[in-house]
Amino acid sequence: MRELCYSALDIAIIVNSMQLGCRHESRILDLIWKGEKELLAISYRTNQRKFILDTFYWMQYLYDKPAIDKEFPVIQKDMSHINRDLNADLLISDFSDLDLFFKSMRIRILYGNGNNYVRIKLRTLLKQYGYKRRSQLLLQHINRCMQFYRLELALRGGVYCSIEDVELDRMLIFRVV
C-alpha cells in the first residue's frame, strides 16, 4: 500500500491544478500535513518542513515544466556526445495516473473548493486514463484505491453502488467516508 501514499510530487500536481494563490496554497499544505499524515509517504509523516519544501520544489518544477521541456532536445543532444542516453518518458511525460485521480479526489473533497463530492461518468474516467473496458484487475485496483482513500461510490440520488455493476454511461459520485 506504500505506492498509494501521497508523495510531494502528487501533492504538488494536485495543489497546482487547483490554481490557488500563494497563501491559500500554504494553508492547504498545512491542512494536508495535519489531516492526511497517515496517507503521506513515510518520510513526511514526522517532518512538516521537509514535506512543504519538497512540495514547493515540485510545484516550482511544474510551473517551469514547459520551459524545461523545450530545452530537453538540447540536453539530449549534449548527453549523446558523452555516450549517455536520457529516457524522455520519465522527464517530459504528463502525470496521468489512475492513482493520482483518487488522491486528487480526496484532497479536493476535503480541502478544495467546498464540494463534498466529485462527479464523473465511468466511461470518462476510464477513457481519461487510457482504459477501454473494465478488466478484473482494473476493478480490483479501483476498489483498493477507494478503500485506501476511504471513498464511497454512489449514483445520482445517493444510491450506493459497486464499480463492477455500474453502466459505463452512468454518473458516479465519489464522497469521502
Side-chain angles (χ1 to χ4, degrees):
M1 292 293 202
R2 280 187 173 156
E3 69 275 3
L4 295 179
C5 291
Y6 297 115
S7 69
L9 177 58
D10 294 333
I11 298 297
I13 293 169
I14 295 165
V15 172
N16 191 43
S17 72
M18 295 169 122
Q19 299 179 340
L20 307 169
C22 293
R23 289 183 181 168
H24 200 173
E25 285 176 351
S26 293
R27 259 186 258 123
I28 293 282
L29 291 179
D30 284 338
L31 290 172
I32 290 170
W33 193 80
K34 290 173 187 169
E36 301 294 301
K37 224 180 265 191
E38 75 267 2
L39 298 179
L40 291 175
I42 293 171
S43 62
Y44 299 125
R45 292 180 187 173
T46 58
N47 192 341
Q48 182 179 13
R49 183 177 192 278
K50 179 176 175 40
F51 167 69
I52 290 174
L53 288 175
D54 287 357
T55 303
F56 276 128
Y57 167 83
W58 283 112
M59 288 171 71
Q60 186 63 42
Y61 167 77
L62 294 171
Y63 178 73
D64 289 336
K65 190 174 183 326
I68 294 168
D69 288 351
K70 283 182 186 176
E71 294 293 321
F72 185 74
V74 175
I75 295 168
Q76 205 168 25
K77 185 177 174 184
D78 289 344
M79 293 298 283
S80 69
H81 288 306
I82 60 170
N83 295 325
R84 300 279 188 203
D85 189 31
L86 289 176
N87 186 347
D89 293 336
L90 292 175
L91 298 171
I92 62 175
S93 65
D94 290 330
F95 301 103
S96 302
D97 187 18
L98 187 59
D99 296 349
L100 189 60
F101 171 77
F102 291 101
K103 293 172 183 180
S104 177
M105 208 175 4
R106 181 174 172 86
I107 295 295
R108 286 177 182 276
I109 291 169
L110 293 175
Y111 309 105
N113 58 5
N115 288 337
N116 63 350
Y117 63 90
V118 170
R119 294 181 335 161
I120 189 169
K121 281 188 179 179
L122 180 56
R123 183 181 305 276
T124 304
L125 173 63
L126 295 175
K127 185 178 178 183
Q128 188 173 353
Y129 294 97
Y131 298 102
K132 295 185 187 214
R133 59 186 175 84
R134 293 177 277 191
S135 68
Q136 193 62 33
L137 194 60
L138 176 63
L139 293 173
Q140 288 172 355
H141 183 71
I142 290 172
N143 282 324
R144 193 175 93 176
C145 287
M146 288 179 49
Q147 182 180 17
F148 186 81
Y149 299 114
R150 296 178 207 97
L151 298 168
E152 64 184 15
L153 179 64
L155 300 173
R156 277 193 190 178
V159 178
Y160 294 103
C161 62
S162 159
I163 195 78
E164 292 89 350
D165 303 327
V166 175
E167 297 171 22
L168 283 176
D169 289 316
R170 293 295 302 261
M171 185 64 72
L172 303 176
I173 300 170
F174 292 92
R175 286 190 165 82
V176 175
V177 182

